[in-house]
Each structure stands twice: as structure tokens, then as C-alpha cells.
Amino acid sequence: SCKFTRNIPELLDKLEIKDGMTISFHHHMRGGDGTIVPIIEALANRGIKNLTLASSSLTGAHEPLVSYVEDGTITRIFTSGCRGKLGQAVSAGKLKYPAVFHSHGGRARAIQEGRIKVDVSFISASAADDAGNATGSHGKSACGSLGYAMIDAEYAKQVVVITDNVVEYPCQPASIQQCNVDYVVPIDSIGDPKKIAGDSTRITKNPMDLRIAELAAEAIIKANYIKEGYSFQCGAGGASLAVARFIREYMEQKEIRGSFLLGGITSVMTDMLESDLFKYAFDVQSFDSAVSQSICNNPKHVEISANQYANPMNCDCMTHKLDVVVLAALEVDINFNVNVLVGADGNIRGASGGHCDTAAGANLTVIVAPSIRGRLPIIKKQITTVVTPGSSVDLLVTERGICINPARKDLKKALKDSGLPIVDIKDVATEVERLCGKQNEPEFEDDIVAVVEYRDGSIIDVIRKVKS
């Protein structure tokens, strides 16, 4: 095939790539990704500078990129999340221009609108043919859905499929179609699928988190949201997944069948699909390797793009059809605003992800979080960084009880005689402050190192340089 190149050097000889371009990657391999660092290294070795890195998210696997930020190979970053030493480097102001953090839906919108103009998209796939049909659903490095890469394949000026498994034409099912692909390049390994699922994607065994999950499930049930034909999404955090377990038990007991599961799909959710508790699972990102087998074999497990999932400019995106979403938080303030991006030390260490997309779209948005984590206050009078506005949050559930957003008078009425511990969020914040004492909040300089984009492209907050 005219698209097939033998290796990365041959590919880079053919690609039109020069200083100042925007290159994109996806993060479906999560902590096991093995493509971003080698590609950036190869470009740096050719003297390419001033690149904009537009990766759908960045994980601990991308810490080696710090040196390429420091030497000016990468000067801009558009992403949903950033962690570890790379997050610290951005927080320390080492990136030439402020990073832009967007939601998954916001990224799809920005690419579609042309705010992010991708010059070259590198899409790693666990199987591909020499014409560019590609999938993440089978092969030794199977990662499941390629939902975040689909928008790049459609809009990038040049599209490269990188694979460690070249299969006979045609590669099916094709998440990425050959008509959108310019080059195919084989490498030894696109990464380690065992590192897709972190500890966060397993149901918690922590007694306090289980208590929070049980309370959250009871609140959702007693507010009458678990009924025939409802739709559901939960984050991949241990406590969120435990909520799904309690809800499952209730559905089985009452013989309720839901409409669809949505979002980052975990094996907890595929089990619910296979047990016929839901008609469909719509998957933008598979959170563990067990899920890739489901996406390959079960026609009711449907791969979707980030565009279909959460682009707010698509009025019928699937997050707008959600009944219930359960999400985690790093910090929540007394106005229900949520931070999932900046740690207690002021360093960037999380991801916007689909948090604000699902919170805005769902009929019931439930945040589950302990009030204190490792002696640090989580429910506070003021948080460092707003990612999801409190206007999108309906319930906050901690081990101290259930806080109802005052704007949701209907929920207050529905849960009034439920026997559940309903508490005022301001009282929780006061109690937490009393227990933890006055905290030394992180100190920041005036320099802005990153901006936090809301899903519609407006700036909801800024992140300032951490005082060294």
C-alpha cells in the first residue's frame, strides 16, 4: 500500500512536519501508553521546535516529556489532564505558553470549530491493515474504544496510524476508517494494556468509601431515579464503581432494566450489560482490558466518538440524554463547585475529563467524596480551581451525610422523609475545618501557567504558578 511505511524514521521523512505545528495523540492506553514519548523524541532529534501537543489526556507515562518542555520542543499543551512530574513542570511555569485544560466534549468542540487545528494526528491502534483501517478492540495491545481519536482522524490535516499488529485487509471492526488515514507505521509495541486499569478503576474495599457509596445509591433510589428505561454513567473511581454495585443489587431485586450505560466503560458496567440490566453500553473509552473483548464480541456494546459523547455544540450529544451520573472530586466548596485538576499542594495532578460535560447534561449529578482525605480537607469554604460549576451539581455525598444543592427544591422534598442523613454543606465545611485545623493553602505567584476551559470554550478558571 502507498500508505505503508516501514518505521518511524521513514514516516517522518514523508510527513510534512515543521516547527510550530500542532500534533495530537489519544490516551486510550492511559498509564500504559508507549507512543507519545518515542514520537516526540524522534521529532526532537530532528530539531523540530515550538510544537503544540494536543493530546486528549496525559498520564504518569508521559513524565519524560518534561525535558522536551524545558528545551522548547513543546511550547504549548492542549489537554484534558496532566499528572506527575509533567503536571509539576507546568505548575512551575516551565511551559512557554499557558496550557489549556478542556473537557472531553470541549476538546471535540474545539477541533470541530477549528480552535485546535491539528497538523498531524498520531493514532495508536492495537490492530490495523496497510490501508489504515484500525481498531483498539483486538490484538496483543487491545485497549477497547478509540472514541477520543475519532475526531482527530476526521479533522487533522495528516493522520498516521501506529500499530504493533498489522492484520490482513480489511481490519474489522474499523474504529478509524482508511479514507481518513494518510500513513500506517508498524512499531514493536504501542504500550502495555495491563496499565490501562489503575487502582482507581476497581471497586473500593475501603469501609468509609463503601459507606459513601451506599448512601449515594440510597439517595438516588429514594429520589426515584432508578426506574425502567433510565440511563446511567459513573466515573472510574473506586467509590463511584461501588455505587454502581449497590444500584445493580436494587435493579435485580426490583427487576428494572435500564436504557443505556455511557462514558468510560469498566468491567463493572460490561457485567451489568451482559446481565441484561441495560440494553446498551456506549463506550468512548474502555477502562480495562476485559472491556475490549466485550466491545469486540457484543453488538450491544457500542463504540462512540467524543463528538457524539459530549460535544456541547451537538445539541443531542449523549451526555444530554443522561439521567444519572456519579462522579468523584479532589475538592468541593460550599457552593458545590468541584475541583478535579489541582492538588492540595497547588500542583496540577488530575484531569477535567468528562466531569463538567456529564454534570451539565445529566438530570441528576451526584458527587461522592470523603470530607477529609489523608488529614486534608476535601469539603472547603473555597477551592483552588473550579472545573465543574456548582450549578451543575445536585447532590454531594460524604461519610458525614448528603448535601442537597439548594436550587434543587424537588430533591429536598423527595428526600425529606427518606430517613437518610441530610446535612447542610456549610456545616460539613465548618466541621471539617474544626477537625483539620487551619490549613496552609498553597501559595501562588501572579503568572498564569494554565487556563481551565469550560465545555463551551469560555474560561471558567486560571491556574497560577506555584511559589517555589
Side-chain angles (χ1 to χ4, degrees):
S1 164
C2 57
K3 296 178 183 179
F4 197 75
T5 57
R6 286 173 302 175
N7 50 43
I8 298 291
E10 188 180 304
L11 168 75
L12 296 184
D13 287 342
K14 290 184 176 184
L15 271 179
E16 285 177 43
I17 191 156
K18 53 182 189 282
D19 291 5
M21 281 189 164
T22 297
I23 60 174
S24 78
F25 299 87
H26 68 73
H27 73 289
H28 291 285
M29 293 297 289
R30 291 171 59 82
D33 176 70
T35 54
I36 298 183
V37 173
I39 295 288
I40 299 288
E41 188 181 357
L43 293 169
N45 289 342
R46 291 185 173 224
I48 306 280
K49 293 277 182 193
N50 201 25
L51 289 169
T52 296
L53 172 61
S55 180
S56 55
S57 201
L58 295 161
T59 71
H62 304 122
E63 289 190 347
L65 295 181
V66 171
S67 60
Y68 301 112
V69 165
E70 289 171 342
D71 73 5
T73 303
I74 299 165
T75 51
R76 277 189 172 90
I77 292 175
F78 285 88
T79 190
S80 164
C82 197
R83 296 163 180 85
K85 288 178 183 166
L86 185 58
Q88 288 168 15
V90 175
S91 296
K94 291 187 176 180
L95 194 65
K96 187 174 180 184
Y97 302 101
V100 178
F101 287 95
H102 44 56
S103 69
H104 290 323
R107 179 178 193 268
R109 172 201 49 76
I111 291 175
Q112 197 172 53
E113 287 178 345
R115 165 105 204 275
I116 299 175
K117 293 184 173 73
V118 181
D119 293 296
V120 187
S121 179
F122 296 92
I123 299 172
S124 54
S126 61
D129 60 35
D130 61 1
N133 295 300
T135 183
S137 68
H138 55 86
K140 67 174 183 177
S141 307
C143 60
S145 174
L146 294 184
Y148 295 131
M150 290 175 180
I151 191 94
D152 302 67
E154 214 176 319
Y155 286 91
K157 290 174 191 163
Q158 300 168 87
V159 176
V160 177
V161 165
I162 305 172
T163 187
D164 54 13
N165 181 27
V166 180
V167 297
E168 198 177 306
Y169 183 90
C171 175
Q172 291 297 316
S175 314
I176 306 296
Q177 279 79 34
Q178 64 183 66
C179 55
N180 288 327
V181 177
D182 299 291
Y183 298 105
V184 179
V185 60
I187 62 172
D188 292 337
S189 171
I190 61 164
D192 182 358
K194 291 190 195 76
K195 292 182 182 173
I196 295 170
D199 290 335
S200 66
T201 60
R202 297 185 185 96
I203 291 180
T204 182
K205 289 178 181 169
N206 179 312
M208 186 173 72
D209 285 346
L210 286 171
R211 161 79 178 145
I212 294 167
E214 195 167 11
L215 273 181
E218 283 185 41
I220 297 164
I221 290 162
K222 288 185 175 174
N224 198 30
Y225 277 86
I226 309 300
K227 51 193 178 187
E228 195 66 25
Y230 85 105
S231 54
F232 181 63
Q233 175 169 348
C234 66
S240 308
L241 292 176
V243 177
R245 194 189 81 187
F246 290 120
I247 285 175
R248 176 191 182 133
E249 287 169 8
Y250 178 78
M251 288 176 73
E252 286 173 335
Q253 188 190 332
K254 298 289 183 185
E255 295 184 349
I256 292 168
R257 191 180 187 217
S259 166
F260 64 85
L261 293 157
L262 181 63
I265 299 293
T266 60
S267 49
V268 172
M269 293 162 92
T270 56
D271 288 348
M272 290 170 93
L273 178 69
E274 278 155 27
S275 301
D276 209 31
L277 291 170
F278 285 89
K279 292 178 186 173
Y280 290 96
F282 292 100
D283 189 346
V284 70
Q285 173 186 20
S286 308
F287 273 114
D288 48 50
S289 44
V291 175
S292 56
Q293 290 163 8
S294 170
I295 214 168
C296 203
N297 301 322
N298 189 343
K300 292 183 176 181
H301 188 154
V302 184
E303 189 176 13
I304 59 165
S305 68
N307 195 20
Q308 183 178 339
Y309 171 54
N311 181 349
M313 298 308 167
N314 163 2
C315 66
D316 254 351
C317 70
M318 298 202 75
T319 52
H320 292 180
K321 295 183 175 296
L322 256 182
D323 287 310
V324 180
V325 67
V326 180
L327 299 163
L330 283 176
E331 297 178 321
V332 186
D333 72 18
I334 54 173
N335 295 312
F336 291 83
N337 297 308
V338 183
N339 167 27
V340 285
L341 195 54
V342 177
D345 60 357
N347 282 303
I348 296 160
R349 50 152 295 199
S352 173
H355 205 282
C356 69
D357 296 315
T358 51
N363 293 327
L364 181 69
T365 298
V366 182
I367 304 294
V368 290
S371 62
I372 299 166
R373 192 184 280 127
R375 292 185 294 202
L376 291 171
I378 302 304
I379 314 307
K380 305 166 78 169
K381 287 179 179 158
Q382 196 174 358
I383 58 174
T384 324
T385 310
V386 178
V387 175
T388 295
S391 55
S392 297
V393 176
D394 304 308
L395 294 177
L396 164 68
V397 184
T398 77
E399 78 287 1
R400 295 176 193 279
I402 297 160
C403 308
I404 305 170
N405 190 322
R408 290 296 306 264
K409 291 183 172 63
D410 58 326
L411 279 177
K412 200 172 181 184
K413 192 176 171 186
L415 297 175
K416 193 168 112 207
D417 301 318
S418 64
L420 291 169
I422 307 297
V423 291
D424 188 302
I425 193 167
K426 289 176 182 166
D427 293 342
V428 175
T430 303
E431 175 66 1
V432 166
E433 190 173 78
R434 186 185 70 79
L435 290 167
C436 295
K438 201 81 179 142
Q439 294 292 306
N440 291 326
E441 292 296 323
E443 289 188 51
F444 298 99
E445 296 179 13
D446 291 338
D447 297 354
I448 292 170
V449 295
V451 296
V452 184
E453 263 191 15
Y454 189 55
R455 60 198 304 249
D456 61 3
S458 59
I459 304 297
I460 194 167
D461 211 340
V462 297
I463 300 171
R464 297 185 188 275
K465 183 179 176 180
V466 175
K467 218 168 206 172
S468 54

